[in-house]
């Protein structure tokens, strides 16, 4: 049976910090995949799988993981981070790729 997975981008920003505790408390998801440019404070938690990614090439989810929900929390603290410059430059392509990841949901 496929594991039910939530994917979150922007887990350390203003919105992501509010969403992560809710995802962690939810029995709905077997795993929470955090896509980030560096390890976060969630890296050691049992249900969290962190993936360090190049945001210009977001990889597909591994086989056997059924992505049920994708949460894009990027852009709420735009002036504070380097990743947002790349995000705003390729916003459409970036959002499309995240949408493809959750397209089966």
């Amino acid at each position: 049976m496929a594991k039910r997975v939530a994917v979150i981008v922007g887990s350390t920003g203003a919105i992501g910090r509010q969403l992560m505790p809710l995802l962690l408390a939810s029995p709905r998801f077997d795993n929470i995949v955090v896509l980030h440019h560096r390890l976060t404070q969630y890296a050691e938690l049992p249900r969290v799988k962190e993936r360090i990614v190049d945001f210009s090439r977001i990889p597909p989810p591994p086989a056997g993981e059924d992505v049920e929900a994708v949460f894009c929390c990027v852009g709420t603290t735009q002036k504070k981070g380097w990743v947002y410059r790349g995000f705003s430059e390729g916003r459409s392509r970036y959002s499309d790729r995240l949408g493809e990841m959750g397209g089966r949901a």
Side-chain angles (χ1 to χ4, degrees), residues 17-104:
R17 282 193 315 265
Q18 301 298 313
L19 180 59
M20 275 302 289
L22 299 173
L23 292 174
L24 292 166
S26 174
R28 179 176 184 144
F29 302 108
D30 299 306
N31 291 317
I32 300 153
V33 175
V34 174
L35 300 181
H36 213 276
H37 65 277
R38 62 174 167 76
L39 290 178
T40 71
Q41 67 267 32
Y42 309 111
E44 300 299 320
L45 298 177
R47 292 175 38 224
V48 173
K49 293 182 178 182
E50 288 211 339
R51 299 212 174 101
I52 307 305
V53 298
D54 172 353
F55 283 95
S56 65
R57 289 174 285 195
I58 299 172
E65 288 189 347
D66 182 19
V67 176
E68 188 170 325
V70 177
F71 299 92
C72 183
C73 304
V74 175
T76 60
T77 51
Q78 290 182 5
K79 294 181 182 178
K80 294 184 180 180
W82 66 269
V83 73
Y84 303 112
R85 283 189 293 279
F87 176 74
S88 55
E89 290 168 5
R91 184 180 304 261
S92 175
R93 184 181 33 171
Y94 183 80
S95 299
D96 288 349
R97 184 67 185 112
L98 288 173
E100 289 169 12
M101 189 177 273
R104 293 171 280 141

